[in-house]
Amino acid sequence: MNADYQRVADAIEFLIEHRHEQPSLERVAANAGLSPFHFQRIFKRYAGITPKQFLAALTLESAKALLDRNQSVLASAFDVGLSAPSRLHDHFVTIDAMSPGEYRARGEGLSVTYGFAHTPFGLMRAGETPRGIAMLDFVDSEVFDPETTPLPRAEFVRDDAVAERIAARAFGDAQTPLRLHVGGTNFQLRVWNALLNTPAGSVTSYAGLASAIGEASAARATGNAVGSNPVAVLIPCHRVIAKSGIIGNYKWGSNKKRALLAWESARAVEAERRD
């Protein structure tokens, strides 16, 4: 199963790198070392969409034709479907914020169960406390250093089954609430809650997010709060792009951000088609 996840993750990278060439299913499958039939089945199983649907959703750069009509890139991104209305159920996520004292303690006295799991977007590290999911990020290896976590003073116990369960919820169709146990300043928590109100399959700008929390002049501070999010995907910082429409920075690289946006957009379109 891990080998199949890696094939899907590699295929997503290949599709992003070669998106302007519109590679055929046969070409992408050959790059993965599989027959087209077998590759399509694996991709759909682990990504929830077909390779063709994913490629079609890589539309930000495809908006250039709309720019000829003097539209902004952000407006173009909207027009090509990234803000299309969708009845796709987003993750039902609630934040159980740490108290200021807990936040300052950096996890001291907390027990965190963590582990690693393979996802369509690469290796993921996740951890939870008895009160909820406390960390989720993408990593290059299973080397674990508490200092690289938001709770460096916590007591950590490894259990990969926990990470696999979290990954299944994060990248599947979670129908029951997910509770996060995260710490941050009051301002950061307001930004993160606003991010949770940005629907899957859509994007916003840093300025738009700042306005959503009533701090229109604080776009830069809002961007810093977005970047300090300790729970990737569940608090969807990948849905924030620059006002100009450029994909912008992302903790795990612009390709990962572009992949997540395309994946969500394709799933939203597929959900609407089914409905």
Side-chain angles (χ1 to χ4, degrees):
M1 183 175 68
N2 290 347
D4 287 341
Y5 264 127
Q6 189 58 51
R7 286 190 179 99
V8 172
D10 290 345
I12 285 174
E13 287 287 338
F14 182 85
L15 285 165
I16 290 172
E17 293 296 335
H18 297 274
R19 62 191 181 279
H20 297 303
E21 303 165 21
Q22 293 294 294
S24 65
L25 174 64
E26 289 75 16
R27 181 182 172 191
V28 185
N31 185 73
L34 297 171
S35 70
F37 175 80
H38 191 196
F39 170 71
Q40 170 128 324
R41 186 174 61 179
I42 288 175
F43 194 98
K44 178 69 181 291
R45 178 180 178 187
Y46 291 108
I49 52 176
T50 67
K52 181 178 180 180
Q53 288 171 319
F54 180 81
L55 182 60
L58 289 170
T59 52
L60 281 178
E61 274 69 27
S62 299
K64 290 178 181 177
L66 295 172
L67 298 180
D68 293 337
R69 291 181 250 157
N70 297 316
Q71 292 193 142
S72 71
V73 181
L74 184 60
S76 300
F78 288 166
D79 283 352
V80 294
L82 282 179
S83 65
S86 171
R87 290 187 291 277
L88 176 67
H89 288 292
D90 203 354
H91 302 294
F92 295 100
V93 175
T94 59
I95 293 179
D96 182 2
M98 296 179 186
S99 69
E102 289 175 321
Y103 177 50
R104 287 193 297 269
R106 303 177 69 203
E108 187 171 0
L110 272 178
S111 176
V112 179
T113 304
Y114 79 98
F116 298 88
H118 290 268
T119 78
F121 306 98
L123 186 64
M124 184 199 79
R125 179 183 67 180
E128 66 178 3
T129 74
R131 287 164 54 185
I133 301 168
M135 63 184 196
L136 193 160
D137 52 8
F138 297 103
V139 294
D140 295 324
S141 73
E142 296 185 13
V143 174
F144 181 73
D145 179 1
E147 291 297 325
T148 64
T149 75
L151 303 169
R153 296 178 184 170
E155 177 184 347
F156 288 92
V157 177
R158 179 167 176 171
D159 183 351
D160 288 343
V162 168
E164 289 165 2
R165 172 173 51 81
I166 292 172
R169 300 286 300 285
F171 300 105
D173 292 310
Q175 298 297 318
T176 55
L178 291 170
R179 182 169 292 278
L180 308 182
H181 184 206
V182 295
T185 65
N186 286 336
F187 182 84
Q188 287 172 329
L189 290 168
R190 288 166 60 200
V191 171
W192 298 344
N193 274 301
L195 276 170
L196 293 175
N197 289 323
T198 304
S202 69
V203 291
T204 187
S205 67
Y206 295 100
L209 197 61
S211 295
I213 63 169
E215 302 282 357
S217 62
R220 184 179 296 274
T222 298
N224 291 335
V226 169
S228 62
N229 162 28
V231 187
V233 183
L234 297 180
I235 296 177
C237 51
H238 57 279
R239 295 177 194 161
V240 186
I241 64 177
K243 189 175 182 180
S244 64
I246 296 172
I247 283 287
N249 296 329
Y250 189 52
K251 189 183 300 183
W252 297 283
S254 60
N255 274 358
K256 193 87 72 183
K257 184 173 186 174
R258 185 174 282 110
L260 287 165
L261 286 172
W263 172 70
E264 288 186 335
S265 181
R267 279 164 51 97
V269 170
E270 175 64 11
E272 289 188 341
R273 185 191 66 79
R274 288 198 306 266
D275 289 346

